[in-house]
Amino acid sequence: MGISTTSLLGTPLVLGGKRARSPDEKLVQNTSVQLAEATEDIDAHRQGVLYANANMTDARMADMFQGDEVGNTAHIDLAKVQMFYFTLIAAVGYFMDVAMSVARGMTSAMPALSQGMLALLAISHGGYLLGKTGDHSNSKQT
């Protein structure tokens, strides 16, 4: 829980500094073409270099896997993909441990996560946070 909470709280901290920056105009134009969205709309709704949909109804499931910045929002963010799949694999693995414990009649406590799984979880979340620190919009201070 501590690793996930650190990632949950660390992401807005890392992204917070990007709200005071502005993206390279060429990247805004490229993103405009890739998303078939007017450059003015992107500029009107972005928060610094962070891309934002105009309305909540514009959100899609694919947004979970796209970049956060104007410069990479039209592309898959590998850090998000690896975090999603690792979390899915870890959850399925832990569910199987719980199911096996119940099948064996060992219901006095939840099974413990292995040290290896905890280390992989920490590496996964660390890689995710490090991926957020990069400048994907060739930004400059506003």
Side-chain angles (χ1 to χ4, degrees), residues 3-48:
I3 294 169
S4 296
T5 302
T6 300
S7 186
L8 177 70
L9 297 175
T11 298
L13 291 174
V14 170
L15 295 179
K18 295 184 178 196
R19 287 189 170 88
R21 303 185 69 79
S22 58
D24 180 40
E25 194 56 39
K26 272 187 167 177
L27 288 176
V28 174
Q29 291 171 358
N30 289 345
T31 299
S32 171
V33 170
Q34 291 170 342
L35 296 178
E37 187 175 336
T39 305
E40 295 79 24
D41 289 343
I42 292 174
D43 279 333
H45 299 105
R46 68 179 172 82
Q47 300 168 3

Short mmCIF file of all heavy atoms in Angstrom, two decimals, residues 3-48:
data_model
loop_
_atom_site.label_atom_id
_atom_site.label_comp_id
_atom_site.label_asym_id
_atom_site.label_seq_id
_atom_site.Cartn_x
_atom_site.Cartn_y
_atom_site.Cartn_z
N ILE A 3 3.80 1.71 -1.35
CA ILE A 3 4.38 1.95 -2.68
C ILE A 3 3.33 2.58 -3.59
O ILE A 3 3.61 3.57 -4.27
CB ILE A 3 4.91 0.63 -3.27
CG1 ILE A 3 6.09 0.11 -2.45
CG2 ILE A 3 5.31 0.82 -4.73
CD1 ILE A 3 6.52 -1.30 -2.80
N SER A 4 2.13 2.06 -3.59
CA SER A 4 1.06 2.60 -4.43
C SER A 4 0.68 4.01 -4.00
O SER A 4 0.43 4.88 -4.83
CB SER A 4 -0.17 1.71 -4.38
OG SER A 4 0.12 0.46 -4.93
N THR A 5 0.65 4.25 -2.70
CA THR A 5 0.31 5.58 -2.19
C THR A 5 1.38 6.59 -2.56
O THR A 5 1.08 7.73 -2.93
CB THR A 5 0.13 5.53 -0.66
OG1 THR A 5 -0.90 4.58 -0.35
CG2 THR A 5 -0.26 6.89 -0.11
N THR A 6 2.64 6.18 -2.51
CA THR A 6 3.73 7.07 -2.92
C THR A 6 3.58 7.46 -4.39
O THR A 6 3.74 8.62 -4.75
CB THR A 6 5.09 6.39 -2.70
OG1 THR A 6 5.22 6.08 -1.31
CG2 THR A 6 6.23 7.27 -3.14
N SER A 7 3.23 6.51 -5.22
CA SER A 7 3.01 6.79 -6.64
C SER A 7 1.80 7.69 -6.84
O SER A 7 1.82 8.63 -7.64
CB SER A 7 2.84 5.48 -7.40
OG SER A 7 2.77 5.70 -8.77
N LEU A 8 0.74 7.41 -6.10
CA LEU A 8 -0.48 8.21 -6.19
C LEU A 8 -0.23 9.66 -5.80
O LEU A 8 -0.69 10.59 -6.46
CB LEU A 8 -1.56 7.61 -5.29
CG LEU A 8 -2.89 8.36 -5.23
CD1 LEU A 8 -3.63 8.25 -6.55
CD2 LEU A 8 -3.74 7.82 -4.09
N LEU A 9 0.53 9.88 -4.74
CA LEU A 9 0.83 11.24 -4.29
C LEU A 9 1.98 11.87 -5.06
O LEU A 9 2.03 13.09 -5.22
CB LEU A 9 1.16 11.24 -2.79
CG LEU A 9 0.03 10.78 -1.86
CD1 LEU A 9 0.51 10.70 -0.42
CD2 LEU A 9 -1.18 11.68 -1.98
N GLY A 10 2.89 11.06 -5.54
CA GLY A 10 4.05 11.58 -6.26
C GLY A 10 3.72 12.08 -7.65
O GLY A 10 4.33 13.05 -8.13
N THR A 11 2.75 11.47 -8.31
CA THR A 11 2.40 11.88 -9.68
C THR A 11 1.96 13.34 -9.75
O THR A 11 2.49 14.10 -10.56
CB THR A 11 1.33 10.94 -10.27
OG1 THR A 11 1.87 9.62 -10.33
CG2 THR A 11 0.92 11.37 -11.67
N PRO A 12 1.01 13.80 -8.91
CA PRO A 12 0.64 15.22 -8.99
C PRO A 12 1.79 16.15 -8.61
O PRO A 12 1.88 17.27 -9.13
CB PRO A 12 -0.51 15.37 -8.01
CG PRO A 12 -0.94 14.01 -7.64
CD PRO A 12 0.15 13.06 -8.00
N LEU A 13 2.67 15.70 -7.73
CA LEU A 13 3.82 16.54 -7.37
C LEU A 13 4.76 16.71 -8.55
O LEU A 13 5.24 17.81 -8.83
CB LEU A 13 4.58 15.93 -6.19
CG LEU A 13 3.86 15.95 -4.85
CD1 LEU A 13 4.66 15.19 -3.80
CD2 LEU A 13 3.61 17.38 -4.40
N VAL A 14 5.00 15.63 -9.28
CA VAL A 14 5.88 15.70 -10.45
C VAL A 14 5.22 16.53 -11.55
O VAL A 14 5.87 17.37 -12.17
CB VAL A 14 6.21 14.28 -10.96
CG1 VAL A 14 6.90 14.33 -12.31
CG2 VAL A 14 7.08 13.53 -9.95
N LEU A 15 3.94 16.31 -11.77
CA LEU A 15 3.24 17.01 -12.84
C LEU A 15 2.92 18.46 -12.48
O LEU A 15 2.72 19.29 -13.37
CB LEU A 15 1.95 16.28 -13.22
CG LEU A 15 2.10 14.89 -13.83
CD1 LEU A 15 0.74 14.28 -14.12
CD2 LEU A 15 2.96 14.93 -15.08
N GLY A 16 2.90 18.79 -11.19
CA GLY A 16 2.57 20.15 -10.75
C GLY A 16 3.49 21.21 -11.33
O GLY A 16 3.04 22.29 -11.72
N GLY A 17 4.77 20.94 -11.40
CA GLY A 17 5.73 21.90 -11.94
C GLY A 17 5.54 22.12 -13.43
O GLY A 17 5.98 23.15 -13.98
N LYS A 18 4.89 21.21 -14.10
CA LYS A 18 4.69 21.34 -15.54
C LYS A 18 3.54 22.29 -15.88
O LYS A 18 3.39 22.68 -17.02
CB LYS A 18 4.44 19.95 -16.16
CG LYS A 18 5.67 19.06 -16.03
CD LYS A 18 5.47 17.75 -16.70
CE LYS A 18 6.77 16.93 -16.59
NZ LYS A 18 6.80 15.83 -17.51
N ARG A 19 2.77 22.67 -14.88
CA ARG A 19 1.67 23.61 -15.12
C ARG A 19 2.18 25.04 -15.32
O ARG A 19 1.45 25.88 -15.83
CB ARG A 19 0.68 23.56 -13.97
CG ARG A 19 -0.15 22.32 -13.98
CD ARG A 19 -1.28 22.36 -12.95
NE ARG A 19 -2.20 21.26 -13.16
CZ ARG A 19 -2.05 20.06 -12.62
NH1 ARG A 19 -1.01 19.80 -11.85
NH2 ARG A 19 -2.93 19.11 -12.86
N ALA A 20 3.40 25.31 -14.92
CA ALA A 20 3.97 26.65 -15.06
C ALA A 20 4.86 26.76 -16.30
O ALA A 20 5.62 27.70 -16.43
CB ALA A 20 4.77 27.00 -13.81
N ARG A 21 4.76 25.79 -17.19
CA ARG A 21 5.58 25.80 -18.40
C ARG A 21 4.67 25.84 -19.62
O ARG A 21 3.49 25.53 -19.53
CB ARG A 21 6.48 24.57 -18.42
CG ARG A 21 7.38 24.47 -17.18
CD ARG A 21 8.34 23.33 -17.24
NE ARG A 21 9.38 23.52 -18.24
CZ ARG A 21 10.46 24.27 -18.10
NH1 ARG A 21 10.64 24.96 -17.01
NH2 ARG A 21 11.36 24.34 -19.06
N SER A 22 5.20 26.24 -20.74
CA SER A 22 4.40 26.24 -21.97
C SER A 22 5.08 25.37 -23.02
O SER A 22 6.31 25.36 -23.12
CB SER A 22 4.18 27.66 -22.48
OG SER A 22 5.40 28.29 -22.73
N PRO A 23 4.28 24.64 -23.80
CA PRO A 23 4.85 23.71 -24.78
C PRO A 23 5.35 24.43 -26.03
O PRO A 23 4.94 25.55 -26.33
CB PRO A 23 3.67 22.81 -25.13
CG PRO A 23 2.47 23.65 -24.89
CD PRO A 23 2.83 24.57 -23.76
N ASP A 24 6.22 23.76 -26.74
CA ASP A 24 6.71 24.24 -28.02
C ASP A 24 5.53 24.31 -29.00
O ASP A 24 4.74 23.37 -29.09
CB ASP A 24 7.79 23.28 -28.54
CG ASP A 24 8.37 23.70 -29.87
OD1 ASP A 24 8.57 24.91 -30.08
OD2 ASP A 24 8.60 22.80 -30.70
N GLU A 25 5.41 25.41 -29.71
CA GLU A 25 4.28 25.62 -30.62
C GLU A 25 4.22 24.57 -31.73
O GLU A 25 3.13 24.16 -32.14
CB GLU A 25 4.34 27.02 -31.22
CG GLU A 25 3.06 27.44 -31.90
CD GLU A 25 1.83 27.38 -31.00
OE1 GLU A 25 1.91 27.71 -29.80
OE2 GLU A 25 0.78 26.94 -31.50
N LYS A 26 5.39 24.09 -32.20
CA LYS A 26 5.40 23.04 -33.23
C LYS A 26 4.74 21.76 -32.72
O LYS A 26 4.00 21.09 -33.45
CB LYS A 26 6.83 22.73 -33.67
CG LYS A 26 7.34 23.56 -34.78
CD LYS A 26 8.69 23.02 -35.21
CE LYS A 26 9.11 23.63 -36.52
NZ LYS A 26 10.43 23.18 -36.92
N LEU A 27 5.01 21.42 -31.48
CA LEU A 27 4.42 20.22 -30.90
C LEU A 27 2.91 20.38 -30.72
O LEU A 27 2.16 19.41 -30.87
CB LEU A 27 5.09 19.85 -29.59
CG LEU A 27 6.50 19.28 -29.73
CD1 LEU A 27 7.12 19.04 -28.37
CD2 LEU A 27 6.48 18.00 -30.52
N VAL A 28 2.48 21.58 -30.38
CA VAL A 28 1.04 21.82 -30.26
C VAL A 28 0.38 21.62 -31.62
O VAL A 28 -0.67 20.99 -31.73
CB VAL A 28 0.75 23.24 -29.71
CG1 VAL A 28 -0.74 23.54 -29.73
CG2 VAL A 28 1.30 23.40 -28.30
N GLN A 29 1.01 22.12 -32.66
CA GLN A 29 0.47 21.95 -34.01
C GLN A 29 0.47 20.48 -34.44
O GLN A 29 -0.50 20.00 -35.03
CB GLN A 29 1.27 22.79 -35.01
CG GLN A 29 1.06 24.28 -34.82
CD GLN A 29 2.00 25.13 -35.66
OE1 GLN A 29 2.86 24.61 -36.37
NE2 GLN A 29 1.84 26.44 -35.57
N ASN A 30 1.55 19.75 -34.13
CA ASN A 30 1.60 18.32 -34.45
C ASN A 30 0.49 17.55 -33.72
O ASN A 30 -0.18 16.69 -34.31
CB ASN A 30 2.95 17.73 -34.09
CG ASN A 30 4.06 18.17 -35.00
OD1 ASN A 30 3.81 18.71 -36.08
ND2 ASN A 30 5.29 17.97 -34.57
N THR A 31 0.31 17.86 -32.45
CA THR A 31 -0.73 17.20 -31.66
C THR A 31 -2.10 17.55 -32.21
O THR A 31 -2.99 16.70 -32.28
CB THR A 31 -0.61 17.60 -30.18
OG1 THR A 31 0.67 17.18 -29.70
CG2 THR A 31 -1.70 16.94 -29.34
N SER A 32 -2.27 18.78 -32.63
CA SER A 32 -3.53 19.22 -33.22
C SER A 32 -3.88 18.38 -34.44
O SER A 32 -5.02 17.92 -34.59
CB SER A 32 -3.43 20.70 -33.61
OG SER A 32 -4.54 21.10 -34.37
N VAL A 33 -2.90 18.13 -35.28
CA VAL A 33 -3.12 17.32 -36.48
C VAL A 33 -3.41 15.87 -36.09
O VAL A 33 -4.35 15.25 -36.60
CB VAL A 33 -1.90 17.40 -37.42
CG1 VAL A 33 -1.99 16.38 -38.53
CG2 VAL A 33 -1.76 18.81 -37.98
N GLN A 34 -2.63 15.32 -35.17
CA GLN A 34 -2.78 13.91 -34.79
C GLN A 34 -4.12 13.64 -34.10
O GLN A 34 -4.69 12.57 -34.26
CB GLN A 34 -1.63 13.49 -33.88
CG GLN A 34 -0.32 13.44 -34.61
CD GLN A 34 0.87 13.26 -33.68
OE1 GLN A 34 0.77 13.49 -32.47
NE2 GLN A 34 1.99 12.84 -34.23
N LEU A 35 -4.61 14.60 -33.32
CA LEU A 35 -5.86 14.41 -32.60
C LEU A 35 -7.07 14.97 -33.36
O LEU A 35 -8.20 14.84 -32.88
CB LEU A 35 -5.80 15.07 -31.22
CG LEU A 35 -4.79 14.51 -30.23
CD1 LEU A 35 -4.82 15.31 -28.94
CD2 LEU A 35 -5.04 13.04 -29.97
N ALA A 36 -6.81 15.60 -34.52
CA ALA A 36 -7.87 16.26 -35.30
C ALA A 36 -8.64 17.24 -34.42
O ALA A 36 -9.86 17.24 -34.35
CB ALA A 36 -8.80 15.23 -35.93
N GLU A 37 -7.88 18.06 -33.73
CA GLU A 37 -8.44 19.04 -32.79
C GLU A 37 -7.78 20.38 -33.10
O GLU A 37 -6.59 20.44 -33.40
CB GLU A 37 -8.11 18.60 -31.36
CG GLU A 37 -8.74 19.40 -30.28
CD GLU A 37 -8.48 18.83 -28.90
OE1 GLU A 37 -8.22 17.62 -28.79
OE2 GLU A 37 -8.53 19.60 -27.95
N ALA A 38 -8.54 21.45 -33.03
CA ALA A 38 -8.00 22.77 -33.36
C ALA A 38 -6.92 23.18 -32.37
O ALA A 38 -7.02 22.90 -31.17
CB ALA A 38 -9.12 23.81 -33.34
N THR A 39 -5.87 23.82 -32.87
CA THR A 39 -4.78 24.30 -32.03
C THR A 39 -5.31 25.22 -30.94
O THR A 39 -4.85 25.16 -29.80
CB THR A 39 -3.73 25.04 -32.89
OG1 THR A 39 -3.31 24.18 -33.93
CG2 THR A 39 -2.53 25.46 -32.08
N GLU A 40 -6.28 26.05 -31.29
CA GLU A 40 -6.87 26.99 -30.32
C GLU A 40 -7.55 26.24 -29.18
O GLU A 40 -7.49 26.68 -28.03
CB GLU A 40 -7.87 27.92 -31.01
CG GLU A 40 -7.28 28.85 -32.04
CD GLU A 40 -7.00 28.17 -33.39
OE1 GLU A 40 -7.64 27.12 -33.72
OE2 GLU A 40 -6.11 28.66 -34.11
N ASP A 41 -8.19 25.11 -29.49
CA ASP A 41 -8.84 24.31 -28.45
C ASP A 41 -7.81 23.70 -27.50
O ASP A 41 -8.01 23.67 -26.29
CB ASP A 41 -9.69 23.20 -29.07
CG ASP A 41 -10.94 23.72 -29.74
OD1 ASP A 41 -11.34 24.87 -29.47
OD2 ASP A 41 -11.52 22.97 -30.56
N ILE A 42 -6.71 23.22 -28.07
CA ILE A 42 -5.65 22.65 -27.23
C ILE A 42 -5.09 23.73 -26.32
O ILE A 42 -4.94 23.53 -25.11
CB ILE A 42 -4.55 22.01 -28.09
CG1 ILE A 42 -5.09 20.78 -28.81
CG2 ILE A 42 -3.33 21.66 -27.23
CD1 ILE A 42 -4.13 20.15 -29.79
N ASP A 43 -4.79 24.90 -26.88
CA ASP A 43 -4.25 26.00 -26.08
C ASP A 43 -5.24 26.47 -25.02
O ASP A 43 -4.85 26.84 -23.91
CB ASP A 43 -3.85 27.17 -26.98
CG ASP A 43 -2.49 26.97 -27.63
OD1 ASP A 43 -1.66 26.24 -27.04
OD2 ASP A 43 -2.26 27.53 -28.71
N ALA A 44 -6.53 26.45 -25.34
CA ALA A 44 -7.54 26.94 -24.40
C ALA A 44 -7.72 26.01 -23.20
O ALA A 44 -8.04 26.47 -22.11
CB ALA A 44 -8.88 27.11 -25.12
N HIS A 45 -7.50 24.70 -23.40
CA HIS A 45 -7.79 23.75 -22.33
C HIS A 45 -6.57 23.16 -21.66
O HIS A 45 -6.69 22.54 -20.61
CB HIS A 45 -8.68 22.62 -22.88
CG HIS A 45 -9.98 23.13 -23.39
ND1 HIS A 45 -10.25 23.24 -24.73
CD2 HIS A 45 -11.08 23.59 -22.74
CE1 HIS A 45 -11.45 23.74 -24.89
NE2 HIS A 45 -11.98 23.96 -23.70
N ARG A 46 -5.41 23.32 -22.25
CA ARG A 46 -4.22 22.74 -21.62
C ARG A 46 -3.92 23.46 -20.30
O ARG A 46 -4.33 24.60 -20.10
CB ARG A 46 -3.02 22.80 -22.57
CG ARG A 46 -2.52 24.20 -22.85
CD ARG A 46 -1.32 24.18 -23.78
NE ARG A 46 -0.95 25.50 -24.19
CZ ARG A 46 -0.20 26.34 -23.44
NH1 ARG A 46 0.24 25.94 -22.27
NH2 ARG A 46 0.07 27.54 -23.88
N GLN A 47 -3.22 22.77 -19.42
CA GLN A 47 -2.79 23.34 -18.15
C GLN A 47 -1.27 23.32 -18.15
O GLN A 47 -0.66 22.31 -17.80
CB GLN A 47 -3.35 22.53 -16.99
CG GLN A 47 -4.86 22.49 -16.96
CD GLN A 47 -5.39 21.47 -15.99
OE1 GLN A 47 -4.65 20.80 -15.28
NE2 GLN A 47 -6.70 21.34 -15.95
N GLY A 48 -0.67 24.43 -18.58
CA GLY A 48 0.76 24.44 -18.81
C GLY A 48 1.06 23.55 -19.99
O GLY A 48 0.50 23.73 -21.06
#
